[in-house]
Amino acid sequence: MKKIVAVLSILLVSISCNKLGSHEGTDQMDVDAPFDWDAANVYFLLTDRFHNGDPSNDGLVARDQSTGKLRGFEGGDFAGISQKIREGYFTDLGVNAIWLTPIFEQVHGGVDEGTGFTYAYHGYWAKDWTAVEPSYGTLEEFKELVQLAHNKDIRILLDVVINHTGPVTDQDPKWPASWVRTEPTCTYQDQETAVSCTLTNNLPDIRTDSDQEVDLPAHLVEKWKEEGRYEQEVAELDAFFEKSGLPRTPANYVIKWVTDYARETGVDGYRVDTVKHVEEDVWTTFIEQSKIAYQDWKTQNPDAVMHQDDFFILGELYGYYAEGGRGYYFNDQVVDYFDSGFDSMINFGFKQHAQSSYKTLFAGYSMIRDSLQVEDKDDPATFMNYISSHDDGQPFDPQRQRPIESGTKLLLTPGQSQLYYGDEIARPLEIDGAVGDANLRSMMDWTQIDTTTLEHWQRLGKFRRDHPAVGAGDAFELDHDGPGYVSARFYDKNDIKDDVVIGVDLPDGPVTINVSKVFKKQQHLFNYYTGEQVDIIKGTVTTTASNGVILLAP
């Protein structure tokens, strides 16, 4: 990727006082907090590594070969996630969306990637897009998971992959050449060498560029007949192609199979893998069909609909930096994938920018957020920040030495926030005996909870969930006594107004802040971090900072 347009330090410009306007203080927020994807607090987990709620499904597929450390199935499943939803774990964290890895049936065999023999525990090696991985549970269990989350006002983002299958193994048949390419390997010299290629050796790439109609692969026909669902699958395909008018190309088959999960389960959006490896027109079709499928589910399940939001599409455009604007920089051109219908992109720059001061980070990201709202575009662009993930070998705090700072910076920075499972309890990211990305994917250990860290993340997360101004509000620095950084955030959208004051990097103990430009009618505020009520006296409040934080709102 070319050097991004501007570095964060350039964005540290004082935000003009007249941006404040004449905002009035708001009343106490309702218990049911307003939801805005621009301010979402998303929890990302690997289904296999989160919680084993049903040991009976652990051995349904025979995957018995010895693997490298943390490179086999560990037992996590839909039942485990559902259990934690029921217990209120996500609610207590202030999470209002859960993103979980792909649930398609995975290749049964494994491969040696040079880091140890590996099975498809992660969900990114599809064998059959129309079936659910048995080790995770059943489609009905997944539907129950979605409904349980909705009952808690939590949305579900399902991770999806459309550009490659699983690797060729001794236990899994090959896809025909009319469906996949097996060479060349991507070299990333330009857009062409990032799209018309395979991500890595032995990872067949779907011919998304093909306009040739193809028949179903023989191995899928045989599999579906053995499972007694061939006629049903063919009838659904016929209906889809007749209704959509799309040709029966490899890409459009996969689009049908993947979008069915929105049609059948009511998930609220997709996190889309490997965006740069697929042509823009294919993404446009995929997103259009996803929205149609979601509307079909709403029409068929009116009593289960929890909101009227559009279907949400989050992209993984590897190497995308939000500070660079809407476009992604290939060596030969700039591509704006938001024009294809994406709502948000994962921001790969945040973990680096989080090393800067709070003032630089918060002020800079407020301006980044504003810069993506281009006047001549009717598709606003947003971004999702993270400090660690399943495949980023350079997280913000690899040894988990700064879990309090990690939470404060991630959860209070403008934009969407993505918690990676275990961030909130300082789950280790370096594991003895593990190699490569396996270090990032240890089993969530529910017996080893860092409660001090967890409580910090819970307080910040709930404040973020209940106050969309945190992630999606305009910002203004406020005066206060002593060191640290204090700012107001103002949110006014869809008849919802929300004003808050956030203080960070403060000395623990009393701090006095002038809030007269924010709260003009209130007599009292709450510090939602400490739980104390404070009085506004002549436009100022004196409250208590703890872990360097204050969170003020009516």
Side-chain angles (χ1 to χ4, degrees), residues 69-129:
K69 179 81 170 183
L70 289 172
R71 293 196 172 275
F73 281 78
E74 297 285 331
D77 49 29
F78 302 146
I81 300 169
S82 292
Q83 178 184 330
K84 293 302 177 181
I85 293 173
R86 289 190 188 93
E87 292 175 359
Y89 183 76
F90 301 102
T91 300
D92 290 344
L93 265 176
V95 165
N96 50 18
I98 299 171
W99 151 23
L100 63 160
T101 42
I103 66 173
F104 319 124
E105 182 180 1
Q106 300 293 286
V107 293
H108 291 192
V111 296
D112 192 339
E113 299 182 300
T115 52
F117 191 81
T118 302
Y119 285 116
Y121 65 89
H122 43 63
Y124 293 96
W125 291 350
K127 175 186 181 75
D128 183 354
W129 278 277

Side-chain angles (χ1 to χ4, degrees), residues 129-378:
W129 278 277
T130 71
V132 171
E133 169 54 44
S135 299
Y136 300 158
T138 66
L139 182 62
E140 291 305 313
E141 287 179 298
F142 182 72
K143 290 180 181 179
E144 180 185 16
L145 183 159
V146 174
Q147 189 58 55
L148 287 170
H150 286 176
N151 291 344
K152 298 278 191 179
D153 291 327
I154 297 171
R155 280 124 168 111
I156 295 294
L157 280 177
L158 180 59
D159 209 327
V160 296
V161 187
I162 74 168
N163 76 297
H164 65 78
T165 70
V168 177
T169 78
D170 293 339
Q171 289 81 17
D172 302 283
K174 295 182 180 179
W175 290 74
S178 60
W179 274 76
V180 300
R181 66 169 65 89
T182 56
E183 59 180 4
T185 303
C186 298
T187 59
Y188 307 105
Q189 300 304 304
D190 50 25
Q191 187 179 16
E192 175 69 16
T193 55
V195 176
S196 301
C197 50
T198 63
L199 286 173
T200 185
N201 292 331
N202 195 29
L203 196 62
D205 191 74
I206 295 292
R207 292 186 177 274
T208 55
D209 61 337
S210 174
D211 58 4
Q212 299 299 309
E213 295 198 342
V214 294
D215 294 327
L216 284 167
H219 71 270
L220 274 186
V221 172
E222 180 181 356
K223 179 178 184 290
W224 292 349
K225 286 182 176 179
E226 290 177 356
E227 295 170 351
R229 58 190 179 96
Y230 171 74
E231 288 79 9
Q232 176 186 344
E233 293 295 341
V234 170
E236 290 182 4
L237 283 166
D238 290 343
F240 171 79
F241 285 115
E242 180 178 358
K243 179 181 178 181
S244 67
L246 296 170
R248 294 178 183 247
T249 62
N252 290 335
Y253 276 101
V254 178
I255 286 173
K256 187 274 180 189
W257 295 332
V258 170
T259 58
D260 272 350
Y261 287 89
R263 182 176 289 107
E264 296 178 13
T265 72
V267 295
D268 305 275
Y270 289 147
R271 179 272 190 183
V272 179
D273 195 53
T274 54
V275 169
K276 74 171 74 169
H277 297 283
V278 174
E279 298 79 5
E280 297 98 294
D281 62 327
V282 175
W283 286 133
T284 298
T285 300
F286 171 79
I287 293 170
E288 288 174 349
Q289 291 301 318
S290 297
K291 293 180 183 295
I292 290 171
Y294 184 53
Q295 188 57 50
D296 287 347
W297 179 83
K298 283 187 169 183
T299 300
Q300 296 162 9
N301 301 273
D303 294 338
V305 175
M306 70 170 286
H307 59 77
Q308 295 304 319
D309 297 349
D310 290 336
F311 197 72
F312 185 76
I313 304 288
L314 167 69
E316 183 252 357
L317 180 55
Y318 195 88
Y320 171 78
Y321 280 55
E323 64 175 305
R326 292 169 57 103
Y328 180 82
Y329 294 75
F330 290 98
N331 284 332
D332 61 335
Q333 60 186 309
V334 179
V335 178
D336 184 344
Y337 289 94
F338 291 103
D339 284 345
S340 297
F342 284 90
D343 297 300
S344 180
M345 292 290 174
I346 295 171
N347 175 27
F348 287 80
F350 180 80
K351 65 190 178 67
Q352 299 165 9
H353 299 149
Q355 302 291 348
S356 60
S357 71
Y358 284 98
K359 181 173 182 176
T360 299
L361 184 67
F362 289 1
Y365 266 73
S366 179
M367 297 191 71
I368 289 172
R369 189 186 64 80
D370 292 344
S371 72
L372 292 175
Q373 313 307 308
V374 181
E375 289 184 2
D376 62 348
K377 299 283 187 179
D378 59 3

Side-chain angles (χ1 to χ4, degrees), residues 40-59:
N41 191 26
V42 180
Y43 193 97
F44 169 37
L45 58 86
L46 274 69
T47 298
D48 178 68
R49 300 300 164 88
F50 187 66
H51 185 48
N52 191 346
D54 181 11
S56 69
N57 60 33
D58 291 357

